[in-house]
Amino acid sequence: MKKIRVGVIAAAGKGTRAYPRTGFIPKPLFEIESKSILERNVELLVKTFGVGRIFILVGHLKEQVLAEIQKIKAVFPLVQIEPAPWTEKGLAADVASLAPQIKESFLTILGDEFYYKTDHQLFLETLARYPNLAASIGVVKTTLLSRIRKNYSVELKGDQIVNLVEKPENPPNQILGLGSYLFTPEYFRYFAETPISPKSKIVEITDVIDKMAKESTGGVFATKLSCTYFNINSMQDYHHAVYEVRNDLFPRFKTSLVIPTQNNERSISDVLVDFKGKVKEIIIVDNASQDKTVESARKEKASVIDFLGDGVQNQIGEQVRRGIEKADGDIIVAVAPDGSFRSKDFPKLMEYMKDSDMVIGTRTTRQMIEQGSNLKPLPRLANLIMGKMIEIFWWGQEPRFTDANCEYFAIWKESFLKIRPRLSAKDDQFIAEFMIEIVKSHMRCIEIPVSYYKPVENSRYSAVRMFMELFRLILLVFKKKFAPGEK
């Protein structure tokens, strides 16, 4: 059987439809479960075909792509991975620019396409079945014609391709053409003979393949794949891919609950009983409680960490960070110890964690606030203003916040570790700091409404306290936005 020893990955485009994120990060570097799409496609080429040489076309934000290539080289030290400059004349021209370096069949994958549980090895069977082919393209069958309208359609006669149409208004069938192409060196000759598209003003790769299909001696054949395919055109496409993969893997992830305490013996048992059985572990981070808080926690089989805060009030930020660092879970949920939140909202947090880095509660939905709680109009207004401040200052990242101090949230531990070096707030401002750093890091923080109950220990909220908290948040926001070295 013939082998495929050379791969090409197109990672040069600007990805304007995924703006604003692609203004900071090129699409091939979007991560899905801790790996960039670029690394996943390199992995596909190496592990499926055993390729020994890969050309990666680079252009937009190329410094980031080059840095990622260096990281990938460390993962695959035996593979020759070479960056190649884009032509800025479209994918067809970019691939054609490699003609001096490629003298054998090669597999090309688009850098913004992600294949989950794929059977790309079928390209080898196509090559074995039709050894004289000029090219083969990957296709899948789909009932969603809108996906074909965004890509291209393929008409077949048996396995042989007889016609390709870029972004068809009326797809002729349910066959979706993918961005996986097996080319022979004949591609380079046919590219030179393909006319420029009057619509796009460049040579389209689908036009080159169509010409090869109609004129080449060996013909162009379809490799019919069975996989979950994601074409990452927009941010919604990306979030959909993240969700589908995490949803499939979700039963494997462990969840830890972190509760910061200080003299909460009247409420802690109720909180622990409420959440017991819903998480893998419960960690209490206690700040020198003088009552029976720790005794009650241990009675409910929770792990207790003694926080060396010497009983100083409002060290909650340090306590929560300490608990997350000690937790074994992949997902960390933090909740207040005073009984103001319930586990009935826990499934909502978990569902939204499937396509975000952090899920934060909001207590601004009046129907979900228990009568008699301490969340009166004044503190609701203060938290709304604080949330909107964060939203406005990082408007380009498209956050939506209506609360900046909800002590009920979930975060992936991996995401926490990425922002940990920039976290310093010791008091309850840590929640706003978490939100800011997640957004600053181009990660996704989703806010969802949660129920808010009357806490066991009520506290008064005055206008003076409101203005003090607003002032402190303004200082935090300006520090995060305008401090030297910040971008």
Side-chain angles (χ1 to χ4, degrees):
M1 182 180 289
K2 288 186 178 180
K3 293 184 178 181
I4 301 172
R5 299 181 297 179
V6 177
V8 175
I9 300 175
K14 292 183 178 180
T16 53
R17 282 179 285 181
Y19 184 82
R21 187 181 177 118
T22 47
F24 307 98
I25 304 172
K27 277 196 296 184
L29 268 56
F30 286 9
E31 289 190 357
I32 298 176
E33 287 308 296
S34 306
K35 292 181 182 179
S36 68
I37 299 174
L38 180 60
E39 181 179 345
R40 288 184 175 277
N41 285 331
V42 169
E43 186 176 65
L44 189 158
L45 290 170
V46 174
K47 292 188 176 180
T48 304
F49 303 103
V51 299
R53 191 180 189 188
I54 299 174
F55 295 95
I56 299 179
L57 294 158
V58 299
H60 177 59
L61 300 174
K62 69 176 184 179
E63 292 79 10
Q64 291 187 43
V65 180
L66 292 173
E68 180 69 9
I69 289 173
Q70 292 304 314
K71 289 169 55 181
I72 295 171
K73 283 182 176 181
V75 179
F76 302 101
L78 300 180
V79 181
Q80 187 178 350
I81 303 175
E82 303 175 37
W86 68 339
T87 64
E88 299 190 62
K89 296 178 181 179
L91 175 62
D94 288 345
V95 175
S97 70
L98 298 171
Q101 298 155 282
I102 299 178
K103 305 301 180 184
E104 60 185 287
S105 297
F106 60 99
L107 193 73
T108 299
I109 297 179
L110 300 188
D112 59 358
E113 292 194 347
F114 169 54
Y115 302 92
Y116 185 59
K117 294 184 176 179
T118 185
D119 49 2
H120 266 63
Q121 69 274 7
L122 293 179
F123 273 101
L124 293 171
E125 295 185 14
T126 302
L127 188 57
R129 193 178 300 118
Y130 307 103
N132 297 317
L133 59 72
S136 176
I137 63 174
V139 300
V140 294
K141 192 172 183 180
T142 178
T143 57
L144 299 174
L145 297 184
S146 59
R147 300 183 74 185
I148 301 177
R149 293 189 187 101
K150 293 178 181 179
N151 287 26
Y152 64 96
S153 68
V154 177
E155 292 184 50
L156 300 176
K157 185 178 180 179
D159 290 337
Q160 190 166 2
I161 292 169
V162 295
N163 193 41
L164 281 84
V165 181
E166 180 84 13
K167 297 181 173 63
E169 279 295 320
N170 299 300
N173 51 42
Q174 296 181 337
I175 300 174
L176 168 66
L178 306 178
S180 290
Y181 315 98
L182 171 61
F183 291 128
T184 63
E186 286 187 66
Y187 170 86
F188 304 120
R189 175 169 64 85
Y190 278 96
F191 168 79
E193 298 173 358
T194 302
I196 292 173
S197 167
K199 185 176 180 180
S200 64
K201 308 302 181 185
I202 60 173
V203 176
E204 293 286 356
I205 197 165
T206 48
D207 290 341
V208 180
I209 299 170
D210 188 57
K211 189 174 181 67
M212 295 172 75
K214 293 172 179 175
E215 299 179 11
S216 67
T217 303
V220 178
F221 294 85
T223 296
K224 299 171 183 176
L225 301 178
S226 175
C227 63
T228 304
Y229 160 74
F230 302 98
N231 184 5
I232 313 297
N233 277 318
S234 66
M235 288 307 300
Q236 288 307 314
D237 293 331
Y238 170 62
H239 295 315
H240 177 220
V242 172
Y243 175 85
E244 291 295 339
V245 174
R246 280 185 177 167
N247 188 53
D248 182 53
L249 300 175
F250 215 68
R252 306 181 192 178
F253 298 129
K254 296 187 296 184
T255 305
S256 300
L257 181 69
V258 172
I259 308 175
T261 60
Q262 186 178 37
N263 299 320
N264 298 110
E265 68 171 320
R266 295 178 57 200
S267 58
I268 193 62
S269 293
D270 289 347
V271 175
L272 293 173
V273 170
D274 184 28
F275 280 90
K276 188 178 291 186
K278 293 181 171 61
V279 295
K280 185 71 174 179
E281 66 173 349
I282 299 178
I283 297 176
I284 301 295
V285 186
D286 185 69
N287 184 9
S289 290
Q290 300 300 310
D291 58 8
K292 296 183 179 179
T293 298
V294 172
E295 181 182 333
S296 299
R298 289 188 170 132
K299 184 177 179 181
E300 298 297 338
K301 309 300 182 183
S303 299
V304 178
I305 297 173
D306 292 323
F307 176 73
L308 304 178
D310 299 323
V312 176
Q313 293 290 322
N314 205 357
Q315 296 287 300
I316 186 172
E318 287 279 11
Q319 289 175 260
V320 170
R321 288 195 295 272
R322 182 74 57 82
I324 295 176
E325 289 165 355
K326 295 291 186 181
D328 291 329
D330 304 288
I331 301 172
I332 314 299
V333 177
V335 69
D338 59 8
S340 53
F341 301 100
R342 303 285 169 82
S343 67
K344 79 179 190 67
D345 290 308
F346 177 81
K348 286 195 298 186
L349 268 69
M350 293 300 99
E351 186 63 27
Y352 280 92
M353 284 298 287
K354 293 176 182 177
D355 65 352
S356 60
D357 296 277
M358 180 178 178
V359 179
I360 184 81
T362 175
R363 303 159 296 167
T364 52
T365 305
R366 293 178 62 186
Q367 298 95 321
M368 300 179 71
I369 300 174
E370 183 183 38
Q371 187 175 3
S373 76
N374 64 346
L375 200 62
K376 305 301 182 186
L378 188 61
R380 282 211 309 272
L381 175 63
N383 283 302
L384 175 62
I385 294 172
M386 289 189 285
K388 290 303 174 185
M389 279 187 62
I390 298 172
E391 184 178 317
I392 291 169
F393 271 71
W394 283 275
W395 187 263
Q397 300 303 314
E398 300 183 336
R400 296 293 182 269
F401 297 133
T402 58
D403 194 346
N405 195 27
C406 182
E407 297 179 48
Y408 193 15
F409 66 86
I411 188 170
W412 288 92
K413 186 165 183 178
E414 178 188 24
S415 301
F416 166 79
L417 292 176
K418 289 179 181 178
I419 65 172
R420 177 63 183 93
R422 301 187 298 278
L423 300 176
S424 59
K426 295 182 178 181
D427 55 17
D428 52 8
Q429 292 250 304
F430 86 96
I431 299 169
E433 186 179 45
F434 267 58
M435 295 160 64
I436 291 170
E437 290 298 342
I438 286 287
V439 171
K440 278 179 56 181
S441 301
H442 315 300
M443 292 189 278
R444 198 182 197 196
C445 183
I446 294 179
E447 184 183 77
I448 63 170
V450 294
S451 299
Y452 187 72
Y453 297 86
K454 182 180 179 180
V456 174
E457 295 91 3
N458 266 320
S459 59
R460 297 183 62 186
Y461 197 89
S462 64
V464 173
R465 179 179 169 186
M466 169 184 164
F467 285 112
M468 286 181 63
E469 289 190 356
L470 281 175
F471 178 71
R472 289 170 56 235
L473 181 71
I474 290 171
L475 292 179
L476 177 66
V477 167
F478 272 77
K479 175 185 174 183
K480 296 292 183 180
K481 187 71 174 179
F482 302 113
E486 295 289 346
K487 289 187 180 180

